[in-house]
Amino acid sequence: MKKSLGAKALLYPTPVTVIGTYDIDGKPNAATVAWVGIVCSQPPCVGISMRKATYTYGAIMSRRAFTLNIPSEEFISKVDYLGLASGRDENKLANAGLTPVESTLVDAPYIKDFPMVLECKVINVVEIGLHTQFIGEIVDVKMEESLLDESGQSSIKKVRPFFYAPDDRFYYSLGEKLEKSFESGKKYLKKNQG
Amino acid sequence: MKKSLGAKALLYPTPVTVIGTYDIDGKPNAATVAWVGIVCSQPPCVGISMRKATYTYGAIMSRRAFTLNIPSEEFISKVDYLGLASGRDENKLANAGLTPVESTLVDAPYIKDFPMVLECKVINVVEIGLHTQFIGEIVDVKMEESLLDESGQSSIKKVRPFFYAPDDRFYYSLGEKLEKSFESGKKYLKKNQG
């Protein structure tokens, strides 16, 4: 029997990402964002949702670009801080001891310390409610070379991202590798059922 | 040193969700979707991206509603199947032995067997590229009562959702509870740095 929990923004899990931007004066900033998802495969696009009150909202509106950085578990406290403070009030990257690097592809900095980054150009701005969604075309994905295998293949286990549960507001780690997708369900296909 | 992997739709992780719809004839259908994310807190909204070629795309366009079901790990093969086959060709819910339940709030069925569901009304349709994003206002979240604690609080650990890595195309489990968000980063706040 299912019980109603009311109308709320609850998804299990949300990714934990850090959005890199330049403000109107060119100062690099970083903000933690969990309202994120892939929204298109061709062109590859990611959607990130921001409140208008945030410093990052203004930065994205002026530069029409952002980076989406995926931090590993070891940076959890620094990432939490990047979601607590505003770039309006303090130099968050300096306080957290993180190093911004200028992207050569988009008008935004990425975080050198984190293992992975998506460099994004804003192609659409969708007004929804409290949050505005920026749809960013992913013009490149970059990953720490030491985390790729010999054939250049990336691996979530090596990146060790962490996740957010919007109800208890705890972060969670990645667990075990389970089954192969587009494979394990084949036994249910009608043509396999005789 | 970061290495370029090219322009691709890669995020770690994506949630694994099952979208419930009625088709134009009222037949319940379910499709696995990973291009998903929370897009707004007020009103609470989720975005799901579908290719126009899918059966679910047509169903959502005609009914302007869907349910977003979150399956637990035990259903992994059935969920994989729901992403492999099309409701145009077969009765996926029957083949997988899953039971649709009519929502009293939106014009879509949810999956009785899965622990959690978001009932959604489409409030915006965003054309992006290969994928179209449906923005659904979450009018209710329902969860199996047996998974709630005595105070009615939900828990990701009890739901046991699983995730998808778009590069190796494997499913992954939830790991351990880590730090509390909006807490563990406080030590970096300027006012705490003296």
Side-chain angles (χ1 to χ4, degrees), chain A residues 141-167:
Chain A
V141 177
K142 288 184 171 63
M143 196 172 291
E144 277 303 314
E145 201 160 1
S146 61
L147 300 179
L148 300 172
D149 71 14
E150 57 279 4
S151 63
Q153 177 66 45
S154 55
S155 160
I156 193 172
K157 290 293 270 186
K158 289 188 178 172
V159 169
R160 295 177 68 237
F162 55 98
F163 320 132
Y164 176 64
D167 45 3

mmCIF file with all atom_site columns, all heavy atoms in Angstrom, chain A residues 141-167:
data_model
loop_
_atom_site.group_PDB
_atom_site.id
_atom_site.type_symbol
_atom_site.label_atom_id
_atom_site.label_alt_id
_atom_site.label_comp_id
_atom_site.label_asym_id
_atom_site.label_entity_id
_atom_site.label_seq_id
_atom_site.pdbx_PDB_ins_code
_atom_site.Cartn_x
_atom_site.Cartn_y
_atom_site.Cartn_z
_atom_site.occupancy
_atom_site.B_iso_or_equiv
_atom_site.pdbx_formal_charge
_atom_site.auth_seq_id
_atom_site.auth_comp_id
_atom_site.auth_asym_id
_atom_site.auth_atom_id
_atom_site.pdbx_PDB_model_num
ATOM 1   N N   . VAL A 1 141 ? 33.617 16.815 -23.073 1.00 0.00 ? 141 VAL A N   1
ATOM 2   C CA  . VAL A 1 141 ? 33.768 16.203 -21.750 1.00 0.00 ? 141 VAL A CA  1
ATOM 3   C C   . VAL A 1 141 ? 35.264 15.961 -21.567 1.00 0.00 ? 141 VAL A C   1
ATOM 4   O O   . VAL A 1 141 ? 35.921 15.438 -22.466 1.00 0.00 ? 141 VAL A O   1
ATOM 5   C CB  . VAL A 1 141 ? 33.017 14.852 -21.660 1.00 0.00 ? 141 VAL A CB  1
ATOM 6   C CG1 . VAL A 1 141 ? 33.241 14.200 -20.311 1.00 0.00 ? 141 VAL A CG1 1
ATOM 7   C CG2 . VAL A 1 141 ? 31.529 15.044 -21.941 1.00 0.00 ? 141 VAL A CG2 1
ATOM 8   N N   . LYS A 1 142 ? 35.776 16.373 -20.423 1.00 0.00 ? 142 LYS A N   1
ATOM 9   C CA  . LYS A 1 142 ? 37.194 16.126 -20.128 1.00 0.00 ? 142 LYS A CA  1
ATOM 10  C C   . LYS A 1 142 ? 37.318 15.338 -18.829 1.00 0.00 ? 142 LYS A C   1
ATOM 11  O O   . LYS A 1 142 ? 36.552 15.573 -17.882 1.00 0.00 ? 142 LYS A O   1
ATOM 12  C CB  . LYS A 1 142 ? 37.948 17.457 -19.997 1.00 0.00 ? 142 LYS A CB  1
ATOM 13  C CG  . LYS A 1 142 ? 38.162 18.183 -21.306 1.00 0.00 ? 142 LYS A CG  1
ATOM 14  C CD  . LYS A 1 142 ? 38.992 19.448 -21.103 1.00 0.00 ? 142 LYS A CD  1
ATOM 15  C CE  . LYS A 1 142 ? 39.402 20.063 -22.438 1.00 0.00 ? 142 LYS A CE  1
ATOM 16  N NZ  . LYS A 1 142 ? 38.273 20.515 -23.269 1.00 0.00 ? 142 LYS A NZ  1
ATOM 17  N N   . MET A 1 143 ? 38.282 14.431 -18.799 1.00 0.00 ? 143 MET A N   1
ATOM 18  C CA  . MET A 1 143 ? 38.492 13.623 -17.607 1.00 0.00 ? 143 MET A CA  1
ATOM 19  C C   . MET A 1 143 ? 39.987 13.495 -17.314 1.00 0.00 ? 143 MET A C   1
ATOM 20  O O   . MET A 1 143 ? 40.806 13.506 -18.228 1.00 0.00 ? 143 MET A O   1
ATOM 21  C CB  . MET A 1 143 ? 37.868 12.232 -17.798 1.00 0.00 ? 143 MET A CB  1
ATOM 22  C CG  . MET A 1 143 ? 37.710 11.473 -16.500 1.00 0.00 ? 143 MET A CG  1
ATOM 23  S SD  . MET A 1 143 ? 36.763 9.950  -16.690 1.00 0.00 ? 143 MET A SD  1
ATOM 24  C CE  . MET A 1 143 ? 35.127 10.585 -17.022 1.00 0.00 ? 143 MET A CE  1
ATOM 25  N N   . GLU A 1 144 ? 40.298 13.361 -16.033 1.00 0.00 ? 144 GLU A N   1
ATOM 26  C CA  . GLU A 1 144 ? 41.692 13.149 -15.648 1.00 0.00 ? 144 GLU A CA  1
ATOM 27  C C   . GLU A 1 144 ? 42.231 11.918 -16.379 1.00 0.00 ? 144 GLU A C   1
ATOM 28  O O   . GLU A 1 144 ? 41.656 10.828 -16.289 1.00 0.00 ? 144 GLU A O   1
ATOM 29  C CB  . GLU A 1 144 ? 41.814 12.941 -14.136 1.00 0.00 ? 144 GLU A CB  1
ATOM 30  C CG  . GLU A 1 144 ? 41.850 14.218 -13.326 1.00 0.00 ? 144 GLU A CG  1
ATOM 31  C CD  . GLU A 1 144 ? 42.983 15.161 -13.746 1.00 0.00 ? 144 GLU A CD  1
ATOM 32  O OE1 . GLU A 1 144 ? 44.124 14.702 -13.918 1.00 0.00 ? 144 GLU A OE1 1
ATOM 33  O OE2 . GLU A 1 144 ? 42.701 16.365 -13.905 1.00 0.00 ? 144 GLU A OE2 1
ATOM 34  N N   . GLU A 1 145 ? 43.332 12.081 -17.038 1.00 0.00 ? 145 GLU A N   1
ATOM 35  C CA  . GLU A 1 145 ? 43.883 11.016 -17.868 1.00 0.00 ? 145 GLU A CA  1
ATOM 36  C C   . GLU A 1 145 ? 44.208 9.767  -17.040 1.00 0.00 ? 145 GLU A C   1
ATOM 37  O O   . GLU A 1 145 ? 44.042 8.631  -17.510 1.00 0.00 ? 145 GLU A O   1
ATOM 38  C CB  . GLU A 1 145 ? 45.143 11.542 -18.576 1.00 0.00 ? 145 GLU A CB  1
ATOM 39  C CG  . GLU A 1 145 ? 45.488 10.754 -19.799 1.00 0.00 ? 145 GLU A CG  1
ATOM 40  C CD  . GLU A 1 145 ? 46.410 11.527 -20.754 1.00 0.00 ? 145 GLU A CD  1
ATOM 41  O OE1 . GLU A 1 145 ? 46.788 12.672 -20.436 1.00 0.00 ? 145 GLU A OE1 1
ATOM 42  O OE2 . GLU A 1 145 ? 46.732 10.964 -21.818 1.00 0.00 ? 145 GLU A OE2 1
ATOM 43  N N   . SER A 1 146 ? 44.636 9.986  -15.795 1.00 0.00 ? 146 SER A N   1
ATOM 44  C CA  . SER A 1 146 ? 45.020 8.853  -14.936 1.00 0.00 ? 146 SER A CA  1
ATOM 45  C C   . SER A 1 146 ? 43.835 7.964  -14.571 1.00 0.00 ? 146 SER A C   1
ATOM 46  O O   . SER A 1 146 ? 44.008 6.844  -14.092 1.00 0.00 ? 146 SER A O   1
ATOM 47  C CB  . SER A 1 146 ? 45.676 9.378  -13.661 1.00 0.00 ? 146 SER A CB  1
ATOM 48  O OG  . SER A 1 146 ? 44.751 10.200 -12.949 1.00 0.00 ? 146 SER A OG  1
ATOM 49  N N   . LEU A 1 147 ? 42.606 8.469  -14.794 1.00 0.00 ? 147 LEU A N   1
ATOM 50  C CA  . LEU A 1 147 ? 41.414 7.687  -14.455 1.00 0.00 ? 147 LEU A CA  1
ATOM 51  C C   . LEU A 1 147 ? 40.877 6.895  -15.657 1.00 0.00 ? 147 LEU A C   1
ATOM 52  O O   . LEU A 1 147 ? 39.931 6.120  -15.516 1.00 0.00 ? 147 LEU A O   1
ATOM 53  C CB  . LEU A 1 147 ? 40.313 8.610  -13.923 1.00 0.00 ? 147 LEU A CB  1
ATOM 54  C CG  . LEU A 1 147 ? 40.660 9.403  -12.657 1.00 0.00 ? 147 LEU A CG  1
ATOM 55  C CD1 . LEU A 1 147 ? 39.498 10.284 -12.246 1.00 0.00 ? 147 LEU A CD1 1
ATOM 56  C CD2 . LEU A 1 147 ? 41.047 8.468  -11.522 1.00 0.00 ? 147 LEU A CD2 1
ATOM 57  N N   . LEU A 1 148 ? 41.470 7.119  -16.823 1.00 0.00 ? 148 LEU A N   1
ATOM 58  C CA  . LEU A 1 148 ? 41.026 6.373  -18.014 1.00 0.00 ? 148 LEU A CA  1
ATOM 59  C C   . LEU A 1 148 ? 41.798 5.052  -18.102 1.00 0.00 ? 148 LEU A C   1
ATOM 60  O O   . LEU A 1 148 ? 42.951 4.975  -17.672 1.00 0.00 ? 148 LEU A O   1
ATOM 61  C CB  . LEU A 1 148 ? 41.286 7.212  -19.268 1.00 0.00 ? 148 LEU A CB  1
ATOM 62  C CG  . LEU A 1 148 ? 40.577 8.574  -19.309 1.00 0.00 ? 148 LEU A CG  1
ATOM 63  C CD1 . LEU A 1 148 ? 41.070 9.395  -20.494 1.00 0.00 ? 148 LEU A CD1 1
ATOM 64  C CD2 . LEU A 1 148 ? 39.069 8.406  -19.366 1.00 0.00 ? 148 LEU A CD2 1
ATOM 65  N N   . ASP A 1 149 ? 41.175 4.028  -18.664 1.00 0.00 ? 149 ASP A N   1
ATOM 66  C CA  . ASP A 1 149 ? 41.924 2.783  -18.840 1.00 0.00 ? 149 ASP A CA  1
ATOM 67  C C   . ASP A 1 149 ? 42.782 2.868  -20.094 1.00 0.00 ? 149 ASP A C   1
ATOM 68  O O   . ASP A 1 149 ? 42.808 3.892  -20.793 1.00 0.00 ? 149 ASP A O   1
ATOM 69  C CB  . ASP A 1 149 ? 40.988 1.562  -18.824 1.00 0.00 ? 149 ASP A CB  1
ATOM 70  C CG  . ASP A 1 149 ? 40.118 1.471  -20.065 1.00 0.00 ? 149 ASP A CG  1
ATOM 71  O OD1 . ASP A 1 149 ? 40.394 2.162  -21.059 1.00 0.00 ? 149 ASP A OD1 1
ATOM 72  O OD2 . ASP A 1 149 ? 39.151 0.684  -20.050 1.00 0.00 ? 149 ASP A OD2 1
ATOM 73  N N   . GLU A 1 150 ? 43.518 1.812  -20.402 1.00 0.00 ? 150 GLU A N   1
ATOM 74  C CA  . GLU A 1 150 ? 44.503 1.865  -21.497 1.00 0.00 ? 150 GLU A CA  1
ATOM 75  C C   . GLU A 1 150 ? 43.859 2.150  -22.854 1.00 0.00 ? 150 GLU A C   1
ATOM 76  O O   . GLU A 1 150 ? 44.498 2.684  -23.751 1.00 0.00 ? 150 GLU A O   1
ATOM 77  C CB  . GLU A 1 150 ? 45.351 0.580  -21.538 1.00 0.00 ? 150 GLU A CB  1
ATOM 78  C CG  . GLU A 1 150 ? 44.573 -0.729 -21.690 1.00 0.00 ? 150 GLU A CG  1
ATOM 79  C CD  . GLU A 1 150 ? 43.994 -1.234 -20.367 1.00 0.00 ? 150 GLU A CD  1
ATOM 80  O OE1 . GLU A 1 150 ? 44.114 -0.543 -19.322 1.00 0.00 ? 150 GLU A OE1 1
ATOM 81  O OE2 . GLU A 1 150 ? 43.395 -2.318 -20.373 1.00 0.00 ? 150 GLU A OE2 1
ATOM 82  N N   . SER A 1 151 ? 42.568 1.813  -22.991 1.00 0.00 ? 151 SER A N   1
ATOM 83  C CA  . SER A 1 151 ? 41.893 2.101  -24.262 1.00 0.00 ? 151 SER A CA  1
ATOM 84  C C   . SER A 1 151 ? 41.202 3.470  -24.246 1.00 0.00 ? 151 SER A C   1
ATOM 85  O O   . SER A 1 151 ? 40.483 3.807  -25.173 1.00 0.00 ? 151 SER A O   1
ATOM 86  C CB  . SER A 1 151 ? 40.870 0.996  -24.568 1.00 0.00 ? 151 SER A CB  1
ATOM 87  O OG  . SER A 1 151 ? 39.863 0.995  -23.569 1.00 0.00 ? 151 SER A OG  1
ATOM 88  N N   . GLY A 1 152 ? 41.425 4.252  -23.171 1.00 0.00 ? 152 GLY A N   1
ATOM 89  C CA  . GLY A 1 152 ? 40.843 5.592  -23.106 1.00 0.00 ? 152 GLY A CA  1
ATOM 90  C C   . GLY A 1 152 ? 39.414 5.609  -22.602 1.00 0.00 ? 152 GLY A C   1
ATOM 91  O O   . GLY A 1 152 ? 38.727 6.627  -22.663 1.00 0.00 ? 152 GLY A O   1
ATOM 92  N N   . GLN A 1 153 ? 38.942 4.488  -22.063 1.00 0.00 ? 153 GLN A N   1
ATOM 93  C CA  . GLN A 1 153 ? 37.560 4.383  -21.586 1.00 0.00 ? 153 GLN A CA  1
ATOM 94  C C   . GLN A 1 153 ? 37.435 4.940  -20.160 1.00 0.00 ? 153 GLN A C   1
ATOM 95  O O   . GLN A 1 153 ? 38.242 4.632  -19.292 1.00 0.00 ? 153 GLN A O   1
ATOM 96  C CB  . GLN A 1 153 ? 37.141 2.900  -21.609 1.00 0.00 ? 153 GLN A CB  1
ATOM 97  C CG  . GLN A 1 153 ? 35.754 2.608  -21.076 1.00 0.00 ? 153 GLN A CG  1
ATOM 98  C CD  . GLN A 1 153 ? 34.652 3.215  -21.932 1.00 0.00 ? 153 GLN A CD  1
ATOM 99  O OE1 . GLN A 1 153 ? 34.673 3.129  -23.142 1.00 0.00 ? 153 GLN A OE1 1
ATOM 100 N NE2 . GLN A 1 153 ? 33.684 3.851  -21.286 1.00 0.00 ? 153 GLN A NE2 1
ATOM 101 N N   . SER A 1 154 ? 36.393 5.759  -19.961 1.00 0.00 ? 154 SER A N   1
ATOM 102 C CA  . SER A 1 154 ? 36.123 6.309  -18.636 1.00 0.00 ? 154 SER A CA  1
ATOM 103 C C   . SER A 1 154 ? 35.366 5.294  -17.787 1.00 0.00 ? 154 SER A C   1
ATOM 104 O O   . SER A 1 154 ? 34.776 4.352  -18.299 1.00 0.00 ? 154 SER A O   1
ATOM 105 C CB  . SER A 1 154 ? 35.294 7.586  -18.779 1.00 0.00 ? 154 SER A CB  1
ATOM 106 O OG  . SER A 1 154 ? 34.109 7.327  -19.521 1.00 0.00 ? 154 SER A OG  1
ATOM 107 N N   . SER A 1 155 ? 35.391 5.508  -16.469 1.00 0.00 ? 155 SER A N   1
ATOM 108 C CA  . SER A 1 155 ? 34.733 4.581  -15.549 1.00 0.00 ? 155 SER A CA  1
ATOM 109 C C   . SER A 1 155 ? 34.211 5.312  -14.329 1.00 0.00 ? 155 SER A C   1
ATOM 110 O O   . SER A 1 155 ? 34.957 6.010  -13.635 1.00 0.00 ? 155 SER A O   1
ATOM 111 C CB  . SER A 1 155 ? 35.722 3.503  -15.104 1.00 0.00 ? 155 SER A CB  1
ATOM 112 O OG  . SER A 1 155 ? 35.277 2.892  -13.906 1.00 0.00 ? 155 SER A OG  1
ATOM 113 N N   . ILE A 1 156 ? 32.928 5.140  -14.040 1.00 0.00 ? 156 ILE A N   1
ATOM 114 C CA  . ILE A 1 156 ? 32.325 5.803  -12.883 1.00 0.00 ? 156 ILE A CA  1
ATOM 115 C C   . ILE A 1 156 ? 32.981 5.339  -11.591 1.00 0.00 ? 156 ILE A C   1
ATOM 116 O O   . ILE A 1 156 ? 33.107 6.120  -10.643 1.00 0.00 ? 156 ILE A O   1
ATOM 117 C CB  . ILE A 1 156 ? 30.788 5.576  -12.874 1.00 0.00 ? 156 ILE A CB  1
ATOM 118 C CG1 . ILE A 1 156 ? 30.087 6.502  -11.875 1.00 0.00 ? 156 ILE A CG1 1
ATOM 119 C CG2 . ILE A 1 156 ? 30.442 4.118  -12.599 1.00 0.00 ? 156 ILE A CG2 1
ATOM 120 C CD1 . ILE A 1 156 ? 28.556 6.474  -11.956 1.00 0.00 ? 156 ILE A CD1 1
ATOM 121 N N   . LYS A 1 157 ? 33.450 4.083  -11.543 1.00 0.00 ? 157 LYS A N   1
ATOM 122 C CA  . LYS A 1 157 ? 34.072 3.567  -10.317 1.00 0.00 ? 157 LYS A CA  1
ATOM 123 C C   . LYS A 1 157 ? 35.365 4.301  -10.001 1.00 0.00 ? 157 LYS A C   1
ATOM 124 O O   . LYS A 1 157 ? 35.724 4.477  -8.842  1.00 0.00 ? 157 LYS A O   1
ATOM 125 C CB  . LYS A 1 157 ? 34.356 2.065  -10.458 1.00 0.00 ? 157 LYS A CB  1
ATOM 126 C CG  . LYS A 1 157 ? 33.131 1.177  -10.462 1.00 0.00 ? 157 LYS A CG  1
ATOM 127 C CD  . LYS A 1 157 ? 32.404 1.167  -9.126  1.00 0.00 ? 157 LYS A CD  1
ATOM 128 C CE  . LYS A 1 157 ? 32.915 0.086  -8.192  1.00 0.00 ? 157 LYS A CE  1
ATOM 129 N NZ  . LYS A 1 157 ? 32.085 0.022  -6.949  1.00 0.00 ? 157 LYS A NZ  1
ATOM 130 N N   . LYS A 1 158 ? 36.082 4.716  -11.043 1.00 0.00 ? 158 LYS A N   1
ATOM 131 C CA  . LYS A 1 158 ? 37.334 5.434  -10.800 1.00 0.00 ? 158 LYS A CA  1
ATOM 132 C C   . LYS A 1 158 ? 37.087 6.899  -10.451 1.00 0.00 ? 158 LYS A C   1
ATOM 133 O O   . LYS A 1 158 ? 37.845 7.505  -9.706  1.00 0.00 ? 158 LYS A O   1
ATOM 134 C CB  . LYS A 1 158 ? 38.254 5.316  -12.016 1.00 0.00 ? 158 LYS A CB  1
ATOM 135 C CG  . LYS A 1 158 ? 38.818 3.911  -12.180 1.00 0.00 ? 158 LYS A CG  1
ATOM 136 C CD  . LYS A 1 158 ? 39.871 3.864  -13.282 1.00 0.00 ? 158 LYS A CD  1
ATOM 137 C CE  . LYS A 1 158 ? 40.448 2.454  -13.373 1.00 0.00 ? 158 LYS A CE  1
ATOM 138 N NZ  . LYS A 1 158 ? 41.329 2.296  -14.547 1.00 0.00 ? 158 LYS A NZ  1
ATOM 139 N N   . VAL A 1 159 ? 36.025 7.478  -10.993 1.00 0.00 ? 159 VAL A N   1
ATOM 140 C CA  . VAL A 1 159 ? 35.712 8.888  -10.701 1.00 0.00 ? 159 VAL A CA  1
ATOM 141 C C   . VAL A 1 159 ? 35.163 9.029  -9.280  1.00 0.00 ? 159 VAL A C   1
ATOM 142 O O   . VAL A 1 159 ? 35.404 10.008 -8.604  1.00 0.00 ? 159 VAL A O   1
ATOM 143 C CB  . VAL A 1 159 ? 34.721 9.445  -11.745 1.00 0.00 ? 159 VAL A CB  1
ATOM 144 C CG1 . VAL A 1 159 ? 34.174 10.802 -11.328 1.00 0.00 ? 159 VAL A CG1 1
ATOM 145 C CG2 . VAL A 1 159 ? 35.414 9.562  -13.103 1.00 0.00 ? 159 VAL A CG2 1
ATOM 146 N N   . ARG A 1 160 ? 34.449 8.034  -8.802  1.00 0.00 ? 160 ARG A N   1
ATOM 147 C CA  . ARG A 1 160 ? 33.868 8.029  -7.458  1.00 0.00 ? 160 ARG A CA  1
ATOM 148 C C   . ARG A 1 160 ? 33.032 9.292  -7.166  1.00 0.00 ? 160 ARG A C   1
ATOM 149 O O   . ARG A 1 160 ? 33.282 10.009 -6.192  1.00 0.00 ? 160 ARG A O   1
ATOM 150 C CB  . ARG A 1 160 ? 34.944 7.826  -6.386  1.00 0.00 ? 160 ARG A CB  1
ATOM 151 C CG  . ARG A 1 160 ? 35.604 6.452  -6.500  1.00 0.00 ? 160 ARG A CG  1
ATOM 152 C CD  . ARG A 1 160 ? 36.727 6.248  -5.496  1.00 0.00 ? 160 ARG A CD  1
ATOM 153 N NE  . ARG A 1 160 ? 36.218 6.187  -4.139  1.00 0.00 ? 160 ARG A NE  1
ATOM 154 C CZ  . ARG A 1 160 ? 36.619 6.986  -3.164  1.00 0.00 ? 160 ARG A CZ  1
ATOM 155 N NH1 . ARG A 1 160 ? 37.520 7.924  -3.388  1.00 0.00 ? 160 ARG A NH1 1
ATOM 156 N NH2 . ARG A 1 160 ? 36.117 6.869  -1.961  1.00 0.00 ? 160 ARG A NH2 1
ATOM 157 N N   . PRO A 1 161 ? 32.017 9.558  -8.005  1.00 0.00 ? 161 PRO A N   1
ATOM 158 C CA  . PRO A 1 161 ? 31.111 10.669 -7.706  1.00 0.00 ? 161 PRO A CA  1
ATOM 159 C C   . PRO A 1 161 ? 30.259 10.307 -6.498  1.00 0.00 ? 161 PRO A C   1
ATOM 160 O O   . PRO A 1 161 ? 30.205 9.143  -6.095  1.00 0.00 ? 161 PRO A O   1
ATOM 161 C CB  . PRO A 1 161 ? 30.233 10.735 -8.961  1.00 0.00 ? 161 PRO A CB  1
ATOM 162 C CG  . PRO A 1 161 ? 30.177 9.328  -9.443  1.00 0.00 ? 161 PRO A CG  1
ATOM 163 C CD  . PRO A 1 161 ? 31.546 8.757  -9.153  1.00 0.00 ? 161 PRO A CD  1
ATOM 164 N N   . PHE A 1 162 ? 29.598 11.295 -5.938  1.00 0.00 ? 162 PHE A N   1
ATOM 165 C CA  . PHE A 1 162 ? 28.650 11.016 -4.850  1.00 0.00 ? 162 PHE A CA  1
ATOM 166 C C   . PHE A 1 162 ? 27.328 11.678 -5.184  1.00 0.00 ? 162 PHE A C   1
ATOM 167 O O   . PHE A 1 162 ? 27.233 12.473 -6.120  1.00 0.00 ? 162 PHE A O   1
ATOM 168 C CB  . PHE A 1 162 ? 29.202 11.435 -3.484  1.00 0.00 ? 162 PHE A CB  1
ATOM 169 C CG  . PHE A 1 162 ? 29.634 12.866 -3.388  1.00 0.00 ? 162 PHE A CG  1
ATOM 170 C CD1 . PHE A 1 162 ? 28.788 13.829 -2.846  1.00 0.00 ? 162 PHE A CD1 1
ATOM 171 C CD2 . PHE A 1 162 ? 30.884 13.267 -3.830  1.00 0.00 ? 162 PHE A CD2 1
ATOM 172 C CE1 . PHE A 1 162 ? 29.182 15.155 -2.741  1.00 0.00 ? 162 PHE A CE1 1
ATOM 173 C CE2 . PHE A 1 162 ? 31.282 14.593 -3.742  1.00 0.00 ? 162 PHE A CE2 1
ATOM 174 C CZ  . PHE A 1 162 ? 30.429 15.538 -3.199  1.00 0.00 ? 162 PHE A CZ  1
ATOM 175 N N   . PHE A 1 163 ? 26.293 11.317 -4.427  1.00 0.00 ? 163 PHE A N   1
ATOM 176 C CA  . PHE A 1 163 ? 24.928 11.671 -4.791  1.00 0.00 ? 163 PHE A CA  1
ATOM 177 C C   . PHE A 1 163 ? 24.232 12.341 -3.620  1.00 0.00 ? 163 PHE A C   1
ATOM 178 O O   . PHE A 1 163 ? 24.723 12.338 -2.502  1.00 0.00 ? 163 PHE A O   1
ATOM 179 C CB  . PHE A 1 163 ? 24.142 10.416 -5.202  1.00 0.00 ? 163 PHE A CB  1
ATOM 180 C CG  . PHE A 1 163 ? 24.956 9.468  -6.023  1.00 0.00 ? 163 PHE A CG  1
ATOM 181 C CD1 . PHE A 1 163 ? 24.992 8.117  -5.744  1.00 0.00 ? 163 PHE A CD1 1
ATOM 182 C CD2 . PHE A 1 163 ? 25.732 9.945  -7.070  1.00 0.00 ? 163 PHE A CD2 1
ATOM 183 C CE1 . PHE A 1 163 ? 25.771 7.250  -6.495  1.00 0.00 ? 163 PHE A CE1 1
ATOM 184 C CE2 . PHE A 1 163 ? 26.517 9.085  -7.829  1.00 0.00 ? 163 PHE A CE2 1
ATOM 185 C CZ  . PHE A 1 163 ? 26.523 7.740  -7.529  1.00 0.00 ? 163 PHE A CZ  1
ATOM 186 N N   . TYR A 1 164 ? 23.047 12.846 -3.911  1.00 0.00 ? 164 TYR A N   1
ATOM 187 C CA  . TYR A 1 164 ? 22.290 13.587 -2.901  1.00 0.00 ? 164 TYR A CA  1
ATOM 188 C C   . TYR A 1 164 ? 20.886 13.009 -2.833  1.00 0.00 ? 164 TYR A C   1
ATOM 189 O O   . TYR A 1 164 ? 20.278 12.674 -3.864  1.00 0.00 ? 164 TYR A O   1
ATOM 190 C CB  . TYR A 1 164 ? 22.250 15.053 -3.331  1.00 0.00 ? 164 TYR A CB  1
ATOM 191 C CG  . TYR A 1 164 ? 21.432 15.977 -2.474  1.00 0.00 ? 164 TYR A CG  1
ATOM 192 C CD1 . TYR A 1 164 ? 21.786 16.216 -1.141  1.00 0.00 ? 164 TYR A CD1 1
ATOM 193 C CD2 . TYR A 1 164 ? 20.316 16.627 -2.988  1.00 0.00 ? 164 TYR A CD2 1
ATOM 194 C CE1 . TYR A 1 164 ? 21.032 17.087 -0.361  1.00 0.00 ? 164 TYR A CE1 1
ATOM 195 C CE2 . TYR A 1 164 ? 19.565 17.506 -2.214  1.00 0.00 ? 164 TYR A CE2 1
ATOM 196 C CZ  . TYR A 1 164 ? 19.926 17.720 -0.900  1.00 0.00 ? 164 TYR A CZ  1
ATOM 197 O OH  . TYR A 1 164 ? 19.193 18.579 -0.130  1.00 0.00 ? 164 TYR A OH  1
ATOM 198 N N   . ALA A 1 165 ? 20.385 12.858 -1.621  1.00 0.00 ? 165 ALA A N   1
ATOM 199 C CA  . ALA A 1 165 ? 18.994 12.436 -1.426  1.00 0.00 ? 165 ALA A CA  1
ATOM 200 C C   . ALA A 1 165 ? 18.230 13.642 -0.893  1.00 0.00 ? 165 ALA A C   1
ATOM 201 O O   . ALA A 1 165 ? 18.527 14.125 0.207   1.00 0.00 ? 165 ALA A O   1
ATOM 202 C CB  . ALA A 1 165 ? 18.911 11.272 -0.442  1.00 0.00 ? 165 ALA A CB  1
ATOM 203 N N   . PRO A 1 166 ? 17.265 14.154 -1.671  1.00 0.00 ? 166 PRO A N   1
ATOM 204 C CA  . PRO A 1 166 ? 16.621 15.423 -1.297  1.00 0.00 ? 166 PRO A CA  1
ATOM 205 C C   . PRO A 1 166 ? 15.753 15.349 -0.045  1.00 0.00 ? 166 PRO A C   1
ATOM 206 O O   . PRO A 1 166 ? 15.315 16.393 0.432   1.00 0.00 ? 166 PRO A O   1
ATOM 207 C CB  . PRO A 1 166 ? 15.756 15.765 -2.524  1.00 0.00 ? 166 PRO A CB  1
ATOM 208 C CG  . PRO A 1 166 ? 16.355 14.999 -3.661  1.00 0.00 ? 166 PRO A CG  1
ATOM 209 C CD  . PRO A 1 166 ? 16.870 13.733 -3.033  1.00 0.00 ? 166 PRO A CD  1
ATOM 210 N N   . ASP A 1 167 ? 15.470 14.152 0.483   1.00 0.00 ? 167 ASP A N   1
ATOM 211 C CA  . ASP A 1 167 ? 14.622 14.116 1.680   1.00 0.00 ? 167 ASP A CA  1
ATOM 212 C C   . ASP A 1 167 ? 15.458 14.195 2.966   1.00 0.00 ? 167 ASP A C   1
ATOM 213 O O   . ASP A 1 167 ? 15.248 15.081 3.786   1.00 0.00 ? 167 ASP A O   1
ATOM 214 C CB  . ASP A 1 167 ? 13.661 12.918 1.688   1.00 0.00 ? 167 ASP A CB  1
ATOM 215 C CG  . ASP A 1 167 ? 14.306 11.602 1.288   1.00 0.00 ? 167 ASP A CG  1
ATOM 216 O OD1 . ASP A 1 167 ? 15.524 11.572 1.052   1.00 0.00 ? 167 ASP A OD1 1
ATOM 217 O OD2 . ASP A 1 167 ? 13.564 10.597 1.237   1.00 0.00 ? 167 ASP A OD2 1
#
